[in-house]
């Protein structure tokens, strides 16, 4: 009887713990649904894009691309989950400091956002693509502006 109750307890705890993952749409990282009402914080640029965090040309290019679409980045989530670990409020936050240069997820999502914006996609369409994981196809070694 104790074994049955013990197994039932383990099954119950497992179901309760997995319930948080049952709705994937509810687990989207932080983003803003509309354009910023106030001026956004500056993204790193110019001479800031040097030093050990910018040893590869694609890191600099990713930041230059981000600078062109800052308002769109504000409306996009970042799947490296920096909203949880660092308090970021959108993909824009990643490029305000060096985090974007240190994280391939941020760079790929930033480049994807730039590319899709150039193709005429709206922030909502880009967000849907990010949520589908389309940014994973970005090859950082081959990006050019």
């Amino acid at each position: 009887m104790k074994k049955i109750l013990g197994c039932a307890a383990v099954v119950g705890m497992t179901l309760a713990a997995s319930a948080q993952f049952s709705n994937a749409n509810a687990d989207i990282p932080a983003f803003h649904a509309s354009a910023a009402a106030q001026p956004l914080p500056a993204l790193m640029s110019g001479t800031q894009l040097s030093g050990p965090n910018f040893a590869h040309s694609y890191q600099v290019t990713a930041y230059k691309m981000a600078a062109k679409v800052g308002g769109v980045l504000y409306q996009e989530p970042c799947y490296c989950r920096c909203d949880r670990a660092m308090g970021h409020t959108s993909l824009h936050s990643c490029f305000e400091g060096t985090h974007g240069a240190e994280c391939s997820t941020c760079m790929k999502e930033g480049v994807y956002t730039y590319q899709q914006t150039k193709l005429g996609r709206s922030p909502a369409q880009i967000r849907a693509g990010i949520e589908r994981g389309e940014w994973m196809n970005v090859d950082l070694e081959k990006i050019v502006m």
Side-chain angles (χ1 to χ4, degrees), residues 15-145:
L15 290 174
S18 67
Q20 64 182 325
F21 302 110
S22 63
N23 184 358
N25 291 333
D27 195 29
I28 298 170
F31 69 93
H32 303 277
S34 58
Q38 303 292 326
L40 294 170
L43 301 180
M44 289 183 68
S45 64
T47 59
Q48 294 174 316
L49 305 180
S50 62
N53 289 314
F54 297 94
H56 304 283
S57 62
Y58 61 79
Q59 292 167 307
V60 174
T61 302
Y63 271 75
K64 288 180 178 180
M65 289 177 169
K68 301 278 187 193
V69 294
V72 181
L73 295 177
Y74 177 79
Q75 297 179 61
E76 307 305 333
C78 182
Y79 276 90
C80 83
R81 303 296 181 170
C82 52
D83 59 333
R84 294 178 184 167
M86 304 176 79
H88 286 180
T89 61
S90 69
L91 185 56
H92 187 279
S93 300
C94 304
F95 294 92
E96 293 169 16
T98 59
H99 176 71
E102 299 164 351
C103 177
S104 65
T105 298
C106 299
M107 281 187 282
K108 286 181 176 188
E109 285 187 27
V111 169
Y112 175 82
T113 298
Y114 172 82
Q115 292 170 338
Q116 295 301 303
T117 300
K118 297 294 269 179
L119 292 173
R121 304 293 189 306
S122 70
Q125 291 171 319
I126 294 167
R127 185 179 322 113
I130 288 173
E131 290 171 8
R132 287 190 299 269
E134 293 174 6
W135 57 271
M136 290 183 213
N137 296 322
V138 170
D139 184 346
L140 293 173
E141 296 285 345
K142 295 181 180 177
I143 63 171
V144 292
M145 287 189 72

Side-chain angles (χ1 to χ4, degrees), residues 3-15:
K3 286 183 181 182
I4 293 173
L5 290 175
C7 287
V10 169
V11 168
M13 288 187 295
T14 301
L15 290 174

